[in-house]
Amino acid sequence: MKPDDPNLKRVEPPKLTLLEKTYLPQILGGLAVTGRHILGSAIGGKAVTVQYPEEQHVPTANYRGVHRLNKDEQGRVKCVACMLCATACPAHCIDIVGATAPEDWPDREKYPESFVIDELRCIYCGMCEEACPVDAIELTGLYDITGLSREELIYDKAKLLSVFDMTKDAEPMKTGNPPASLPVPTSPLDPEGPGPRTTVPAAQLPSRS
Amino acid sequence: MATWQIAVILVKIFLIVGLFQGAVAYMILLERKIAAWAQDRIGPNRCGPLGLLQPLADGAKMLLKEDVIPGYVNKPLYILAPAIAIVMATIGFAVVPFGPAGLDAPTVNGNPIHFQIAPNVDIGILYVFAIGSLAVYAVILGGYASNNKYSFLGGLRNSAQIISYEIPLGLSVLGMVMLARSLELNDVMSWQDRNGLGPIPAWGVFVQPLAFLIFLVSAFAETNRLPFDLAEAEQELVGGFHTEYSAMKFGMFFLGEYLHVITVSFLTVILFFGGWDAPFLGVEDTSWIAAVLKVGVIFFKVTLMVIFIMWIRWTLPRFRYDQLMNLAWKALIPLALLNLVVTMVLIQLFRGVG
Ligand code: SF4
Ligand code: SF4
């Protein structure tokens, strides 16, 4: 668009009146706003602070905290070592060593022999969760992980599976063999909480072109 | 001068310096609290009940931290700057009355005890302003000696700012000075007490409202507080003149700034809010009870003023540099001159009233 294009709409900043030029009405208005907030939080108890160690913050259902590796009904790791999460990860912090699945696991060819996530390198973007075709990896609401060394925060398969055991009651798996009777939320960010996600057939998705 | 008089002065000095330094510690806590409240937070509340021991922890931190002197600084000036900041901020209190002084001072055995370190200085206001402008050396020298672009910019901005705002600051108090016919702060207070119109006291804010606004704005600029903290400007100048300072040297700049805030609050209260003047107190009350009440009143007003200054800080964004200069030269100085002329004319017309 050229600068002299007739369609170009020029917006002039509004002229200030004399009173406005003294800044005084605006300053008084501003003082009223901050005054309301100061009194509100000093006396009215409107402060949003969570007194952390005593009160625990409960993150929303779609919060992205520490990962977990989900287990299926038989207690086996759900992951099929397809490497999609490791490929999608922008921080390259997932390291998977896949192996041929045992004979008595007929539903898959491979399983992860080792599955390591460096929680310090992770940027908690959730790409791995998006990428996983079998919903084996999920981000939980745990946010207060600590460690005394870098090594402690490199989570291996056992640790990631134990995160699942810790969080499976509070945060049920988002998908995976749900009974057909469960209500299906209309949006993945449904505030009703985690539940099975609707999958939109590719044909219905808006085209990108 | 008798020995006991010197003793009284020494006691006053220790009292005032100790009190105000302690007050500064708690002002920092108050500022943090107000900041927190304005942002819907709670603020420091872990250190002692309601966080009241926080200033001790802050002070200990300042004292115990490593005092880094970068290798590239101009060492003598670098060390001198924080010292200037704190010395100038402290000696400004010498002529600031914190209670009845002069005519209405209470007496012991017929000897008046003035609530002022250096009583009866004829040019009290001039002295305070002179000291206030010397304090800018701390910022300029600190910025220059740090040998750092950001600090230097901060120092430069500050020097231009102070030079510009000294003028409206000085002009705006002249109105009150002419009305009270004295440069002494006590006389200004007693004038405001004596000349009320019925229930309305003749406080500066009523008789010189324009001067009050100009004074307030210039005072904010003088103390380097938001919205005029262009010398610090964390977001643009990473702290400005005190970027290179650490530990107690940084703390001294802080102390100086807050002491300055106290001085400015005192001046505002004395010049424009009647000082110790309250409906039930008059210049003729020279009893000790009245004196204590007067001290209480003035400290109460000063506390409100300090809170107001902090409230403003968390309300207004920083001015741009050209806006700052425009405000001083194109608005405040002409207005202050106008105010001065109008006051002069009115005083001439109504001679004997003021
Ligand atoms: S959350 Fe993002 S960064 Fe972290 S492991 Fe998953 S894909 Fe990688
Ligand atoms: S976690 Fe999911 S995406 Fe990652 S390897 Fe396992 S099955 Fe594939």
Side-chain angles (χ1 to χ4, degrees):
Chain A
M1 201 181 261
K2 295 232 173 61
D4 54 354
D5 190 315
N7 291 329
L8 213 57
K9 198 175 156 214
R10 297 200 177 272
V11 183
E12 290 285 327
K15 277 261 177 288
L16 296 182
T17 61
L18 189 66
L19 186 64
E20 281 170 342
K21 272 191 193 148
T22 62
Y23 302 120
L24 287 181
Q26 291 89 336
I27 290 176
L28 289 181
L31 282 175
V33 170
T34 41
R36 250 199 326 276
H37 279 269
I38 289 172
L39 289 183
S41 23
I43 305 169
K46 288 225 193 81
V48 294
T49 310
V50 174
Q51 297 286 332
Y52 169 60
E54 292 94 35
E55 284 170 40
Q56 292 283 339
H57 168 66
V58 181
T60 51
N62 56 343
Y63 184 83
R64 302 194 300 267
V66 182
H67 312 74
R68 70 182 185 195
L69 271 183
N70 290 340
K71 294 180 185 170
D72 60 9
E73 308 79 47
Q74 302 165 37
R76 306 173 304 177
V77 57
K78 275 178 96 176
C79 172
V80 295
C82 69
M83 304 288 179
L84 280 179
C85 54
T87 313
C89 176
H92 301 302
C93 62
I94 306 182
D95 185 57
I96 303 166
V97 179
T100 315
E103 290 293 311
D104 51 341
W105 292 17
D107 55 342
R108 65 186 81 175
E109 287 168 14
K110 287 168 77 187
Y111 85 109
E113 199 173 48
S114 121
F115 194 112
V116 179
I117 300 183
D118 186 343
E119 301 285 347
L120 288 179
R121 273 183 78 168
C122 173
I123 57 172
Y124 300 95
C125 62
M127 288 293 177
C128 43
E129 183 176 344
E130 299 281 332
C132 183
V134 295
D135 289 309
I137 188 166
E138 276 177 353
L139 299 177
T140 66
L142 287 189
Y143 52 84
D144 50 351
I145 53 166
T146 50
L148 295 176
S149 65
R150 287 176 180 274
E151 289 70 34
E152 257 176 65
L153 288 170
I154 298 178
Y155 279 24
D156 59 4
K157 194 168 108 185
K159 227 167 176 175
L160 290 166
L161 285 168
S162 73
V163 176
F164 172 73
D165 292 330
M166 273 164 61
T167 57
K168 66 171 182 245
D169 298 326
E171 302 171 53
M173 266 189 278
K174 289 169 192 153
T175 51
N177 310 338
S181 58
L182 269 186
V184 177
T186 47
S187 131
L189 300 183
D190 192 329
E192 294 306 308
R197 283 182 185 163
T198 41
T199 39
V200 184
Q204 286 178 22
L205 287 172
S207 72
R208 288 232 182 122
S209 54
Chain B
M1 196 181 276
T3 335
W4 72 268
Q5 276 171 316
I6 295 176
V8 166
I9 290 178
L10 281 181
V11 166
K12 280 192 283 199
I13 292 176
F14 283 123
L15 208 70
I16 284 298
V17 171
L19 188 74
F20 285 162
Q21 308 257 349
V24 163
Y26 276 90
M27 271 166 72
I28 294 176
L29 176 67
L30 183 70
E31 169 113 60
R32 291 177 63 183
K33 277 283 188 190
I34 289 183
W37 289 333
Q39 298 165 353
D40 283 348
R41 295 184 285 116
I42 293 180
N45 64 345
R46 292 281 151 163
C47 209
L50 297 172
L52 284 179
L53 296 182
Q54 187 71 37
L56 289 183
D58 283 348
K61 181 197 79 176
M62 287 283 182
L63 284 171
L64 295 178
K65 268 177 131 176
E66 187 188 354
D67 192 353
V68 185
I69 298 185
Y72 44 77
V73 300
N74 185 333
K75 220 165 162 195
L77 293 183
Y78 179 85
I79 295 173
L80 190 64
I84 294 183
I86 194 155
V87 168
M88 291 310 162
T90 312
I91 62 178
F93 286 119
V95 299
V96 176
F98 52 95
L103 287 180
D104 56 329
T107 49
V108 175
N109 298 337
N111 295 308
I113 304 285
H114 303 285
F115 282 77
Q116 188 178 19
I117 293 175
N120 304 325
V121 179
D122 293 345
I123 50 162
I125 296 179
L126 279 188
Y127 173 82
V128 176
F129 285 161
I131 296 297
S133 13
L134 280 181
V136 70
Y137 275 99
V139 177
I140 297 175
L141 287 183
Y144 168 74
S146 293
N147 204 357
N148 165 321
K149 290 189 190 91
Y150 289 126
S151 307
F152 191 60
L153 275 175
L156 275 184
R157 282 180 179 191
N158 192 262
S159 42
Q161 176 182 333
I162 298 282
I163 288 173
S164 310
Y165 278 85
E166 292 266 278
I167 304 169
L169 191 74
L171 287 177
S172 63
V173 298
L174 280 186
M176 279 317 284
V177 167
M178 284 191 308
L179 284 170
R181 294 183 187 165
S182 169
L183 279 164
E184 204 184 322
L185 293 168
N186 299 314
D187 294 343
V188 179
M189 282 201 282
S190 28
W191 182 86
Q192 296 179 60
D193 175 55
R194 279 198 310 268
N195 289 286
L197 209 103
I200 309 166
W203 289 359
V205 60
F206 299 124
V207 292
Q208 294 269 307
L210 186 59
F212 168 67
L213 277 180
I214 296 168
F215 180 84
L216 200 63
V217 174
S218 321
F220 274 102
E222 280 280 313
T223 48
N224 263 329
R225 302 264 313 172
L226 260 142
F228 301 112
D229 70 335
L230 286 124
E232 278 180 55
E234 287 96 342
Q235 295 85 352
E236 315 152 29
L237 296 186
V238 280
F241 65 96
H242 58 52
T243 309
E244 301 288 350
Y245 284 90
S246 51
M248 204 49 212
K249 290 206 186 68
F250 174 73
M252 278 153 86
F253 273 125
F254 241 88
L255 215 58
E257 177 185 329
Y258 279 88
L259 285 174
H260 227 104
V261 170
I262 298 187
T263 325
V264 159
S265 304
F266 260 100
L267 277 185
T268 319
V269 166
I270 288 169
L271 288 170
F272 295 102
F273 288 100
W276 44 254
D277 186 27
F280 51 89
L281 287 172
V283 70
E284 57 297 328
D285 300 326
T286 51
S287 67
W288 273 95
I289 298 176
V292 171
L293 279 178
K294 283 173 182 175
V295 173
V297 168
I298 200 167
F299 272 80
F300 175 70
K301 287 180 185 170
V302 166
T303 314
L304 288 187
M305 190 62 210
V306 167
I307 291 178
F308 179 73
I309 291 180
M310 291 175 180
W311 184 11
I312 284 274
R313 166 166 185 184
W314 295 101
T315 300
L316 298 182
R318 183 177 306 123
F319 272 70
R320 219 172 47 214
Y321 192 66
D322 57 327
Q323 292 171 332
L324 181 88
M325 286 296 147
N326 278 348
L327 186 66
W329 291 97
K330 291 194 191 159
L332 292 184
I333 293 178
L335 279 179
L337 282 172
L338 180 76
N339 181 60
L340 197 61
V341 171
V342 171
T343 314
M344 273 196 266
V345 170
L346 287 183
I347 289 181
Q348 279 301 325
L349 287 181
F350 299 99
R351 238 169 210 281
V353 173

